[in-house]
Amino acid sequence: MADEYKPQDTKERGSLWKRFPLTFNLLLMAVVIPLLVWLMLLFVDFWTHHGETATVPDVRGMSFERALTTLEEAGLDVVISDSIDNPGNLVGGTIIDIMPKPGSLVKGGREVYLTVVSYTPFEVTITEPLANRDLRSVMNYLRNLGFDTAKVLVKNVPWMYPGSVVAVHVGNRTLDIGSRLRVNERVTIELGVEDTLFMQSQPDFVIVDSLLNASEPASTPSYSSHSSGGGSSEPAPEPVEPAPADPENPLYD
């Protein structure tokens, strides 16, 4: 008997789908849409680490490899935001700073930004003349280029202009406009100082003074006498003419 009604039941079910398609689709959407929304919310919570927190560890002074491991174990992503030249002869890759600051409570999986020591020293180009300038201006210029001026060697040399920079060297190379060098190279500044023997050996000063004096008109010499009372000047005495000869004078010949 059950076998006789089976085709009829199938026919009735098929006719129900065809008779009420809108109602059936609405019921299907009422089940599927909330399920999809729930799954999407689960994915967003997982992707954004909702509800998870992490404390930023202090990795300053660590090598990059060690800092990377420490931050990943704390559930944080690492981004290198900046690299600077070697301050204080630190090893390349040493962590100088971290943002957010150590100890900050952040969401798990957040990116943290590291400032590290550059593995390769920066190269700079000299764009200004360094000679014939005062020492302070040369030091300021090198500092602005990134040099550690505490490591700059200043060597005193005899020079006609004391206090003026004679030359700037890196090894056997004299720096001039267009010279390229690394900011960790040792710079030597030759600073001019006055040397008595050196100055006396320069005849140019005497020659220049002589030429200047020779170009001035000669002045009439004047005579001055100083009284015992205190250095007052008096006009030169009139020249005395010789007395006329006397024929009766026995000394006259």
Side-chain angles (χ1 to χ4, degrees), residues 162-193:
S164 177
V165 172
V166 180
V168 180
H169 303 280
V170 171
N172 297 326
R173 195 160 52 104
T174 302
L175 300 183
D176 203 349
I177 296 177
S179 300
R180 293 185 58 83
L181 69 159
R182 296 186 298 273
V183 293
N184 65 339
E185 294 189 76
R186 177 60 64 89
V187 177
T188 301
I189 297 178
E190 292 185 352
L191 180 65
V193 294

Side-chain angles (χ1 to χ4, degrees), residues 50-67:
H50 181 70
E52 299 179 14
T53 58
T55 301
V56 179
D58 190 357
V59 296
R60 292 173 296 185
M62 296 183 183
S63 65
F64 176 74
E65 292 77 12
R66 181 182 173 190

Side-chain angles (χ1 to χ4, degrees), residues 4 11 13-14 38 79 86 133 138 148 178 192-193 199 201:
E4 295 179 0
K11 183 177 179 180
R13 286 198 299 269
W38 179 70
V79 176
N86 199 336
R133 297 171 57 175
V138 173
D148 182 4
V193 294
M199 298 294 288
S201 65

Side-chain angles (χ1 to χ4, degrees), residues 157-160 162 193-206:
V157 295
W159 187 239
M160 63 183 68
V193 294
E194 184 175 359
D195 189 311
T196 304
L197 296 178
F198 177 78
M199 298 294 288
Q200 290 178 353
S201 65
Q202 305 303 311
D204 293 342
F205 292 100
V206 178

